[in-house]
Amino acid sequence: QKTTMDAAKKAAGYKAVDDHVKSGMLVGLGTGSTAYFAVERVGMKLKSGELKNVKCIPTSVRTKEQAESLKIPLITLNEMPKGTMLDVAIDGADAVDPDMCLVKGGGGALLREKMVEVMSKKFICIVDETKLCSGLGPSFPLPVEITPFCHEHTLRVVAALPEVAGCKAVLRTGDCSNNKAEPGEKPAISDNGNYIVDLHFTKNIADVTKAAEAIKKVVGVVDHGIFQGMTYQTIIAYKDGSCKVAGKGGKKPWWGKTQYAPYLYGVAVVAHLAYLASSRMSK
């Protein structure tokens, strides 16, 4: 199963680079198991000479180390000329809803990812089919990066927000790249020296926009894992090795839209039969 999913992730990562990265570009490199393959592909194409004069900005220490091992030229946001943007950023996601709103941060790099990707002309999201969902919340916990100072207080304030009502806030412990509360471990530390709280939901977040705004306003919150209105295109890889494209240059998102279709069809059939019965009785 793992081998099959890894092959799917590789297909998405490679396609994103092949379709969107050209010589002379400034590219944002994402973090995570799917983004790993996009970074790998950039390195391969630079080594072969198919790509030239490409500079990249990594979104985590892990991605920086991988890029350096592949001899990919790196810069930082500080070194970008004033008024310029990245040509493209490629990164994975932990959940993608039908509006292509994302939950990111399962690997602990949400702040740097957002800082880089918001500065990109095009943000290409690469995922395998398991990351598609009908609504953000239940399929993957929402990470919130907070300051270590009085972190328990900040956790309580976030959990009490009406906009995220019903969530269970859990402090991430142990390895920051593993979105778990490992028993007996110290709080997980992000690349920025902060803590991460994961918000677990049993129902879809009612209003993603309001939730994002409310969380960001809490003093002590650095940022959250909701990436809304940023995705240019989503490349979805399937277990059979095929890829589908949603968004610009692809199809309108098709997942999560038909969950009630069988029920609605049944209602329509019953209504139609009732109409026919009443028509016969009136004759």
Side-chain angles (χ1 to χ4, degrees):
Q1 180 69 22
K2 183 178 179 181
T3 302
T4 302
M5 294 315 300
D6 281 348
K9 292 177 180 181
K10 182 176 181 178
Y14 277 35
K15 179 175 175 57
V17 174
D18 292 347
D19 288 355
H20 296 283
V21 179
K22 310 298 179 187
S23 293
M25 282 189 169
L26 183 58
V27 181
L29 301 177
T31 297
S33 59
T34 309
Y36 173 91
F37 292 108
V39 179
E40 179 180 83
R41 186 63 167 168
V42 171
M44 288 173 58
K45 299 186 84 168
L46 282 169
K47 185 176 181 179
S48 70
E50 190 174 347
L51 284 178
K52 297 179 180 179
N53 302 318
V54 169
K55 293 183 180 180
C56 298
I57 298 181
T59 55
S60 68
V61 172
R62 278 177 292 144
T63 299
K64 179 176 181 289
E65 292 171 347
Q66 181 193 4
E68 288 175 337
S69 73
L70 297 171
K71 296 181 171 53
I72 297 174
L74 301 178
I75 65 170
T76 68
L77 289 173
N78 289 339
E79 298 169 78
M80 288 176 58
K82 185 177 179 180
T84 62
M85 297 185 73
L86 287 81
D87 294 288
V88 64
I90 301 171
D91 202 357
D94 300 302
V96 187
D97 78 5
D99 295 319
M100 295 206 300
C101 295
L102 317 175
V103 164
K104 291 176 50 58
L110 66 96
L111 177 61
R112 296 191 185 191
E113 289 171 340
K114 190 174 286 188
M115 288 180 68
V116 171
E117 287 150 18
V118 78
M119 289 299 298
S120 303
K121 296 175 185 176
K122 294 193 297 185
F123 169 42
I124 309 302
C125 178
I126 49 176
V127 295
D128 64 73
E129 59 183 307
T130 66
K131 305 301 172 63
L132 304 181
C133 63
S134 61
L136 301 184
S139 69
F140 198 91
L142 171 60
V144 180
E145 189 161 345
I146 65 173
T147 60
F149 177 72
C150 294
H151 66 278
E152 293 180 357
H153 161 75
T154 305
L155 182 154
R156 290 194 297 267
V157 173
V158 171
L161 292 170
E163 291 82 359
V164 293
C167 78
K168 179 181 179 183
V170 180
L171 181 68
R172 192 178 299 189
T173 56
D175 186 351
C176 190
S177 65
N178 177 16
N179 70 314
K180 298 288 187 294
E182 298 178 6
E185 295 291 332
K186 294 181 179 179
I189 307 295
S190 73
D191 286 345
N192 315 298
N194 297 315
Y195 292 171
I196 292 180
V197 174
D198 292 298
L199 306 183
H200 296 253
F201 294 85
T202 57
K203 297 180 180 179
N204 290 351
I205 298 172
D207 190 318
V208 173
T209 302
K210 289 182 178 178
E213 292 173 349
I215 295 170
K216 189 65 183 284
K217 287 179 180 178
V218 173
V219 178
V221 167
V222 179
D223 217 322
H224 52 73
I226 295 175
F227 285 51
Q228 187 177 31
M230 295 173 58
T231 311
Y232 177 87
Q233 184 183 95
T234 300
I235 298 175
I236 303 105
Y238 291 82
K239 295 175 186 176
D240 63 2
S242 65
C243 290
K244 293 182 180 179
V245 177
K248 300 290 180 64
K251 296 180 179 179
K252 184 177 180 181
W254 58 87
W255 59 93
K257 298 288 189 180
T258 59
Q259 58 178 327
Y260 299 116
Y263 168 76
L264 294 174
Y265 176 76
V267 170
V269 169
V270 171
H272 182 62
L273 291 175
Y275 170 76
L276 291 177
S278 63
S279 297
R280 287 169 184 163
M281 289 177 65
S282 63
K283 289 181 179 180

PDB file of all heavy atoms in Angstrom, residues 22 49 52 67 70 76 100 121 148 166 168 183 200 213 220 231 238 249 270 277 282:
ATOM      1  N   LYS A  22      10.203  26.261 -15.379  1.00  0.00           N
ATOM      2  CA  LYS A  22      11.001  26.508 -16.578  1.00  0.00           C
ATOM      3  C   LYS A  22      12.328  27.166 -16.195  1.00  0.00           C
ATOM      4  O   LYS A  22      12.472  27.719 -15.107  1.00  0.00           O
ATOM      5  CB  LYS A  22      10.241  27.419 -17.554  1.00  0.00           C
ATOM      6  CG  LYS A  22       8.802  26.982 -17.850  1.00  0.00           C
ATOM      7  CD  LYS A  22       8.728  25.622 -18.506  1.00  0.00           C
ATOM      8  CE  LYS A  22       7.281  25.210 -18.763  1.00  0.00           C
ATOM      9  NZ  LYS A  22       7.173  23.808 -19.251  1.00  0.00           N
ATOM     10  N   GLY A  49      20.635  19.290 -17.076  1.00  0.00           N
ATOM     11  CA  GLY A  49      20.759  20.470 -17.918  1.00  0.00           C
ATOM     12  C   GLY A  49      19.455  20.894 -18.573  1.00  0.00           C
ATOM     13  O   GLY A  49      19.403  21.899 -19.286  1.00  0.00           O
ATOM     14  N   LYS A  52      17.887  25.379 -16.296  1.00  0.00           N
ATOM     15  CA  LYS A  52      19.065  26.207 -16.045  1.00  0.00           C
ATOM     16  C   LYS A  52      18.642  27.506 -15.362  1.00  0.00           C
ATOM     17  O   LYS A  52      17.527  27.987 -15.544  1.00  0.00           O
ATOM     18  CB  LYS A  52      19.791  26.519 -17.351  1.00  0.00           C
ATOM     19  CG  LYS A  52      20.354  25.290 -18.058  1.00  0.00           C
ATOM     20  CD  LYS A  52      21.040  25.661 -19.365  1.00  0.00           C
ATOM     21  CE  LYS A  52      21.590  24.434 -20.059  1.00  0.00           C
ATOM     22  NZ  LYS A  52      22.243  24.771 -21.359  1.00  0.00           N
ATOM     23  N   ALA A  67      17.418  20.001  -0.733  1.00  0.00           N
ATOM     24  CA  ALA A  67      17.799  20.801  -1.908  1.00  0.00           C
ATOM     25  C   ALA A  67      19.314  20.958  -2.000  1.00  0.00           C
ATOM     26  O   ALA A  67      19.894  20.850  -3.086  1.00  0.00           O
ATOM     27  CB  ALA A  67      17.121  22.162  -1.848  1.00  0.00           C
ATOM     28  N   LEU A  70      21.034  18.027  -3.398  1.00  0.00           N
ATOM     29  CA  LEU A  70      20.841  17.898  -4.841  1.00  0.00           C
ATOM     30  C   LEU A  70      21.494  19.039  -5.616  1.00  0.00           C
ATOM     31  O   LEU A  70      21.326  19.156  -6.827  1.00  0.00           O
ATOM     32  CB  LEU A  70      19.338  17.860  -5.150  1.00  0.00           C
ATOM     33  CG  LEU A  70      18.559  16.672  -4.565  1.00  0.00           C
ATOM     34  CD1 LEU A  70      17.056  16.859  -4.752  1.00  0.00           C
ATOM     35  CD2 LEU A  70      19.011  15.368  -5.199  1.00  0.00           C
ATOM     36  N   THR A  76      16.747  33.234  -0.146  1.00  0.00           N
ATOM     37  CA  THR A  76      15.667  33.434   0.822  1.00  0.00           C
ATOM     38  C   THR A  76      14.766  34.564   0.336  1.00  0.00           C
ATOM     39  O   THR A  76      15.095  35.281  -0.616  1.00  0.00           O
ATOM     40  CB  THR A  76      16.227  33.816   2.209  1.00  0.00           C
ATOM     41  OG1 THR A  76      16.816  35.121   2.126  1.00  0.00           O
ATOM     42  CG2 THR A  76      17.281  32.812   2.668  1.00  0.00           C
ATOM     43  N   MET A 100     -10.916  24.192  -3.087  1.00  0.00           N
ATOM     44  CA  MET A 100      -9.449  24.147  -3.083  1.00  0.00           C
ATOM     45  C   MET A 100      -8.862  24.976  -1.947  1.00  0.00           C
ATOM     46  O   MET A 100      -7.776  25.543  -2.064  1.00  0.00           O
ATOM     47  CB  MET A 100      -8.863  24.532  -4.446  1.00  0.00           C
ATOM     48  CG  MET A 100      -9.218  23.543  -5.543  1.00  0.00           C
ATOM     49  SD  MET A 100      -8.056  23.440  -6.933  1.00  0.00           S
ATOM     50  CE  MET A 100      -8.088  25.104  -7.565  1.00  0.00           C
ATOM     51  N   LYS A 121       3.333  33.747  -7.799  1.00  0.00           N
ATOM     52  CA  LYS A 121       2.350  34.036  -8.845  1.00  0.00           C
ATOM     53  C   LYS A 121       1.398  32.857  -9.010  1.00  0.00           C
ATOM     54  O   LYS A 121       0.213  33.031  -9.256  1.00  0.00           O
ATOM     55  CB  LYS A 121       3.063  34.315 -10.172  1.00  0.00           C
ATOM     56  CG  LYS A 121       3.942  35.556 -10.173  1.00  0.00           C
ATOM     57  CD  LYS A 121       4.688  35.673 -11.493  1.00  0.00           C
ATOM     58  CE  LYS A 121       5.660  36.839 -11.481  1.00  0.00           C
ATOM     59  NZ  LYS A 121       6.472  36.905 -12.732  1.00  0.00           N
ATOM     60  N   PRO A 148       5.587  29.891  22.533  1.00  0.00           N
ATOM     61  CA  PRO A 148       5.740  29.071  23.741  1.00  0.00           C
ATOM     62  C   PRO A 148       5.273  29.790  25.009  1.00  0.00           C
ATOM     63  O   PRO A 148       4.796  29.139  25.946  1.00  0.00           O
ATOM     64  CB  PRO A 148       7.250  28.798  23.788  1.00  0.00           C
ATOM     65  CG  PRO A 148       7.701  28.924  22.365  1.00  0.00           C
ATOM     66  CD  PRO A 148       6.856  30.023  21.792  1.00  0.00           C
ATOM     67  N   GLY A 166     -16.636  23.012  19.025  1.00  0.00           N
ATOM     68  CA  GLY A 166     -16.658  21.556  18.915  1.00  0.00           C
ATOM     69  C   GLY A 166     -15.307  20.926  18.693  1.00  0.00           C
ATOM     70  O   GLY A 166     -15.187  19.693  18.708  1.00  0.00           O
ATOM     71  N   LYS A 168     -11.368  19.824  19.474  1.00  0.00           N
ATOM     72  CA  LYS A 168     -10.541  19.431  20.609  1.00  0.00           C
ATOM     73  C   LYS A 168      -9.120  19.882  20.311  1.00  0.00           C
ATOM     74  O   LYS A 168      -8.524  19.450  19.312  1.00  0.00           O
ATOM     75  CB  LYS A 168     -10.579  17.925  20.818  1.00  0.00           C
ATOM     76  CG  LYS A 168      -9.713  17.448  21.990  1.00  0.00           C
ATOM     77  CD  LYS A 168      -9.766  15.929  22.134  1.00  0.00           C
ATOM     78  CE  LYS A 168      -8.878  15.469  23.287  1.00  0.00           C
ATOM     79  NZ  LYS A 168      -8.865  13.985  23.407  1.00  0.00           N
ATOM     80  N   PRO A 183       3.019  10.594  23.959  1.00  0.00           N
ATOM     81  CA  PRO A 183       2.991  10.541  25.428  1.00  0.00           C
ATOM     82  C   PRO A 183       4.379  10.690  26.036  1.00  0.00           C
ATOM     83  O   PRO A 183       5.343  10.067  25.579  1.00  0.00           O
ATOM     84  CB  PRO A 183       2.412   9.147  25.712  1.00  0.00           C
ATOM     85  CG  PRO A 183       1.657   8.786  24.476  1.00  0.00           C
ATOM     86  CD  PRO A 183       2.426   9.398  23.348  1.00  0.00           C
ATOM     87  N   HIS A 200      -8.751  19.207  16.481  1.00  0.00           N
ATOM     88  CA  HIS A 200      -9.429  18.027  15.950  1.00  0.00           C
ATOM     89  C   HIS A 200     -10.933  18.290  15.870  1.00  0.00           C
ATOM     90  O   HIS A 200     -11.546  18.712  16.852  1.00  0.00           O
ATOM     91  CB  HIS A 200      -9.154  16.822  16.845  1.00  0.00           C
ATOM     92  CG  HIS A 200      -7.713  16.410  16.886  1.00  0.00           C
ATOM     93  ND1 HIS A 200      -7.245  15.271  16.251  1.00  0.00           N
ATOM     94  CD2 HIS A 200      -6.634  16.990  17.469  1.00  0.00           C
ATOM     95  CE1 HIS A 200      -5.939  15.170  16.448  1.00  0.00           C
ATOM     96  NE2 HIS A 200      -5.546  16.196  17.193  1.00  0.00           N
ATOM     97  N   GLU A 213      -9.953  33.845  10.179  1.00  0.00           N
ATOM     98  CA  GLU A 213      -9.824  35.213  10.693  1.00  0.00           C
ATOM     99  C   GLU A 213      -9.798  35.236  12.219  1.00  0.00           C
ATOM    100  O   GLU A 213      -9.002  35.955  12.825  1.00  0.00           O
ATOM    101  CB  GLU A 213     -10.972  36.076  10.172  1.00  0.00           C
ATOM    102  CG  GLU A 213     -10.912  36.333   8.673  1.00  0.00           C
ATOM    103  CD  GLU A 213     -12.154  37.039   8.151  1.00  0.00           C
ATOM    104  OE1 GLU A 213     -13.147  37.145   8.916  1.00  0.00           O
ATOM    105  OE2 GLU A 213     -12.148  37.485   6.984  1.00  0.00           O
ATOM    106  N   GLY A 220      -0.905  35.649  20.575  1.00  0.00           N
ATOM    107  CA  GLY A 220      -0.187  34.429  20.929  1.00  0.00           C
ATOM    108  C   GLY A 220      -0.170  33.435  19.785  1.00  0.00           C
ATOM    109  O   GLY A 220       0.657  32.527  19.756  1.00  0.00           O
ATOM    110  N   THR A 231      -4.658  28.677  -3.965  1.00  0.00           N
ATOM    111  CA  THR A 231      -4.324  27.571  -4.863  1.00  0.00           C
ATOM    112  C   THR A 231      -4.676  27.881  -6.317  1.00  0.00           C
ATOM    113  O   THR A 231      -5.835  28.110  -6.655  1.00  0.00           O
ATOM    114  CB  THR A 231      -5.054  26.284  -4.428  1.00  0.00           C
ATOM    115  OG1 THR A 231      -4.865  26.086  -3.030  1.00  0.00           O
ATOM    116  CG2 THR A 231      -4.536  25.088  -5.194  1.00  0.00           C
ATOM    117  N   TYR A 238      -3.438   9.306  -8.350  1.00  0.00           N
ATOM    118  CA  TYR A 238      -4.223   8.142  -7.980  1.00  0.00           C
ATOM    119  C   TYR A 238      -3.349   6.891  -7.918  1.00  0.00           C
ATOM    120  O   TYR A 238      -2.243   6.866  -8.474  1.00  0.00           O
ATOM    121  CB  TYR A 238      -5.374   7.956  -8.974  1.00  0.00           C
ATOM    122  CG  TYR A 238      -6.411   9.045  -8.853  1.00  0.00           C
ATOM    123  CD1 TYR A 238      -6.224  10.283  -9.465  1.00  0.00           C
ATOM    124  CD2 TYR A 238      -7.557   8.861  -8.087  1.00  0.00           C
ATOM    125  CE1 TYR A 238      -7.166  11.296  -9.328  1.00  0.00           C
ATOM    126  CE2 TYR A 238      -8.506   9.867  -7.947  1.00  0.00           C
ATOM    127  CZ  TYR A 238      -8.300  11.080  -8.572  1.00  0.00           C
ATOM    128  OH  TYR A 238      -9.215  12.086  -8.416  1.00  0.00           O
ATOM    129  N   GLY A 249      -6.435  25.585 -15.798  1.00  0.00           N
ATOM    130  CA  GLY A 249      -5.836  24.633 -16.718  1.00  0.00           C
ATOM    131  C   GLY A 249      -6.334  23.217 -16.536  1.00  0.00           C
ATOM    132  O   GLY A 249      -5.849  22.296 -17.202  1.00  0.00           O
ATOM    133  N   VAL A 270     -39.288   9.450  -5.279  1.00  0.00           N
ATOM    134  CA  VAL A 270     -40.476   9.342  -4.425  1.00  0.00           C
ATOM    135  C   VAL A 270     -41.487  10.442  -4.751  1.00  0.00           C
ATOM    136  O   VAL A 270     -42.696  10.201  -4.865  1.00  0.00           O
ATOM    137  CB  VAL A 270     -40.085   9.395  -2.933  1.00  0.00           C
ATOM    138  CG1 VAL A 270     -41.331   9.505  -2.055  1.00  0.00           C
ATOM    139  CG2 VAL A 270     -39.280   8.160  -2.557  1.00  0.00           C
ATOM    140  N   ALA A 277     -49.237   9.169  -8.714  1.00  0.00           N
ATOM    141  CA  ALA A 277     -50.353   8.556  -7.983  1.00  0.00           C
ATOM    142  C   ALA A 277     -51.495   9.554  -7.795  1.00  0.00           C
ATOM    143  O   ALA A 277     -52.677   9.218  -7.986  1.00  0.00           O
ATOM    144  CB  ALA A 277     -49.855   8.042  -6.643  1.00  0.00           C
ATOM    145  N   SER A 282     -56.984  11.742  -9.301  1.00  0.00           N
ATOM    146  CA  SER A 282     -57.804  12.896  -9.643  1.00  0.00           C
ATOM    147  C   SER A 282     -58.569  12.691 -10.938  1.00  0.00           C
ATOM    148  O   SER A 282     -59.460  13.458 -11.278  1.00  0.00           O
ATOM    149  CB  SER A 282     -56.927  14.153  -9.747  1.00  0.00           C
ATOM    150  OG  SER A 282     -55.992  14.011 -10.798  1.00  0.00           O
TER     151      SER A 282
END
